Amino acid sequence: MKKQFKTVKSSRISISQLMLPSHSNFSGKIHGGYILSLMDQIAFACASKYSGNYCVTASVDTVDFLHPIEVGELVIMKACVNYVGRSSMVVGIRVESEHIQTGKSKHCNSSYFTMVAKDENGQNTEVPGLILTNGDEVRRFYNCIQQIEARKTRNRHELEFDYLSETALKNLENYNVKIEMKER
């Protein structure tokens, strides 16, 4: 069977939603958890549209909340597939909010969700290859490769850290921590 390829453009999706008082936290700003939920929904829709399969969230890369979102603002989320592996896809999401009366918009956050395509039996299934058509798409694909490698390095480091080592514990004294381990 011949390998199928699709363009990044074929994965693009956007949603808009008015932020209501029921979406706000105790300080009157839109709750970050609510925004994360919307981001997960758009990541699912984007990955499923691209792959043609049901998809699940495997991981979420850094989410930095750059600006608060106010009640009454319109939130616009844009997503596209930036990278594909065998069964996984990295979906880039950009979140903006727009003040309805002034039209002023602000970039609130961006994040990368790793989604995995599943077949009808719940098993990982192959996704189409990705056709890159411009410099931004190539840059995003390359950045995903770098993020994946950094995650692997970080995971290896976490496995290798010897918390019983005198040297490792001595190095931690440079931080705002007090170690009171009863047993070593």
Side-chain angles (χ1 to χ4, degrees):
M1 186 168 151
K2 187 173 167 136
K3 174 88 172 149
Q4 182 183 8
F5 287 83
K6 289 184 174 181
T7 62
V8 171
K9 185 178 180 179
S10 72
S11 75
R12 291 193 197 285
I13 191 166
S14 64
I15 60 171
S16 303
Q17 186 166 342
L18 182 65
M19 294 296 104
L20 303 174
S22 61
H23 304 138
S24 65
N25 60 24
F26 294 114
S27 66
K29 308 298 183 196
I30 300 305
H31 195 307
Y34 182 71
I35 297 301
L36 284 171
S37 174
L38 291 176
M39 292 172 77
D40 192 49
Q41 290 175 38
I42 195 170
F44 167 81
C46 179
S48 295
K49 175 184 176 186
Y50 180 81
S51 70
N53 291 287
Y54 177 80
C55 294
V56 297
T57 306
S59 71
V60 178
D61 250 0
T62 306
V63 179
D64 294 320
F65 292 96
L66 306 173
H67 299 285
I69 300 171
E70 307 289 338
V71 170
E73 289 185 329
L74 186 64
V75 166
I76 300 108
M77 294 189 183
K78 300 173 185 174
C80 66
V81 171
N82 290 344
Y83 170 89
V84 297
R86 194 191 73 71
S87 62
S88 66
M89 297 152 280
V90 176
V91 175
I93 303 169
R94 181 179 173 92
V95 179
E96 298 176 349
S97 69
E98 180 181 320
H99 189 280
I100 298 242
Q101 294 167 321
T102 66
K104 184 179 180 196
S105 67
K106 58 189 174 191
H107 177 207
C108 299
N109 66 40
S110 294
S111 187
Y112 301 93
F113 280 54
T114 300
M115 308 298 289
V116 177
K118 300 289 185 174
D119 66 16
E120 56 279 346
N121 299 315
Q123 300 299 309
N124 292 1
T125 189
E126 195 168 337
V127 299
L130 194 59
I131 299 170
L132 307 175
T133 62
N134 61 52
D136 280 340
E137 292 172 0
V138 171
R139 178 182 51 79
R140 288 183 186 119
F141 189 90
Y142 180 77
N143 286 345
C144 288
I145 292 170
Q146 298 305 310
Q147 287 176 317
I148 291 165
E149 288 304 313
R151 186 180 311 127
K152 288 177 185 175
T153 301
R154 183 177 64 242
N155 290 345
R156 274 194 306 273
H157 174 72
E158 287 175 7
L159 292 174
E160 295 169 0
F161 181 76
D162 180 6
Y163 68 92
L164 298 177
S165 155
E166 286 297 322
T167 304
L169 294 176
K170 189 84 172 142
N171 287 336
L172 294 178
E173 290 177 1
N174 295 325
Y175 298 91
N176 188 19
V177 66
K178 185 176 182 180
I179 301 171
E180 296 180 349
M181 293 173 45
K182 302 274 188 255
E183 295 180 30
R184 285 196 202 187

